[in-house]
Amino acid sequence: MREIRFKLNDDDYLEFLSISIDDQLSVEEKLKQIIQYHLIVNRNKKKLKNERLM
């Protein structure tokens, strides 16, 4: 497991917090959701590319 750290200014954090709250998630849960989404999209792009090659 990896630990990722980054800094946000206060305004960006508060805006992201409000997005997370709207989705009824914590900031950490929302970040995990975003990462999972991008992983799925990336994997699907690779699959599609490989299918076109065949």
Side-chain angles (χ1 to χ4, degrees):
M1 177 154 286
R2 303 266 189 240
E3 183 175 315
I4 299 172
R5 292 180 186 219
F6 59 94
K7 292 183 181 183
L8 291 175
N9 65 37
D10 289 341
D11 291 336
D12 290 343
Y13 178 79
L14 292 174
E15 186 174 349
F16 191 76
L17 178 61
S18 69
I19 293 167
S20 300
I21 290 171
D22 287 344
D23 290 342
Q24 298 178 343
L25 298 169
S26 69
V27 171
E28 292 82 4
E29 290 168 333
K30 185 65 177 173
L31 286 169
K32 287 178 186 177
Q33 186 183 59
I34 291 168
I35 291 168
Q36 286 298 319
Y37 170 81
H38 284 283
L39 289 173
I40 291 168
V41 168
N42 189 44
R43 288 178 186 142
N44 288 340
K45 282 181 183 179
K46 287 180 182 180
K47 283 182 186 178
L48 184 60
K49 183 178 177 183
N50 287 337
E51 288 176 5
R52 288 182 181 169
L53 293 174
M54 294 181 175

